[in-house]
Amino acid sequence: MMTTMCSISDRRYITVLLSITVVFLFADQNLLAPNLTMIADEFGFTDKEKDDKLGANIAVGFFIIGGPIALIAGDRLR
């Protein structure tokens, strides 16, 4: 088994890069959640439609788009 040693600056760089990736990956969750009721009222959604369309589908869509982008960005900066 091969082990590699990372310098302190490498560890800081990796930590900062991972933190930035997580922030961008989950940023939409914090923006949308407080406003779900207002958005649902604007579009005339019922409570079930609000949960299905806004609570689930949009979050999955952002994850599907944001996940690969985060992986690509992390790989390019490596």
Side-chain angles (χ1 to χ4, degrees), residues 14-32:
I14 291 167
T15 302
V16 168
L17 181 61
L18 183 60
S19 299
I20 290 170
T21 303
V22 168
V23 165
F24 283 119
L25 186 60
F26 294 110
D28 63 297
Q29 303 291 324
N30 294 326
L31 294 174
L32 186 61

Side-chain angles (χ1 to χ4, degrees), residues 3 8 11 13 39-40 59 64 67 69 72 74-75:
T3 60
I8 297 295
R11 287 183 183 192
Y13 175 75
I39 294 167
I64 288 172
I69 290 172
I72 291 168
D75 185 50

Side-chain angles (χ1 to χ4, degrees), residues 6-73:
C6 290
S7 69
I8 297 295
S9 62
D10 287 342
R11 287 183 183 192
R12 286 185 182 147
Y13 175 75
I14 291 167
T15 302
V16 168
L17 181 61
L18 183 60
S19 299
I20 290 170
T21 303
V22 168
V23 165
F24 283 119
L25 186 60
F26 294 110
D28 63 297
Q29 303 291 324
N30 294 326
L31 294 174
L32 186 61
N35 300 306
L36 286 178
T37 302
M38 187 172 37
I39 294 167
D41 292 341
E42 180 74 25
F43 288 104
F45 291 161
T46 64
D47 285 341
K48 173 130 177 60
E49 286 176 323
K50 176 178 75 171
D51 292 341
D52 290 344
K53 293 180 181 177
L54 298 178
N57 294 344
I58 289 180
V60 169
F62 276 116
F63 181 78
I64 288 172
I65 293 169
I69 290 172
L71 292 173
I72 291 168

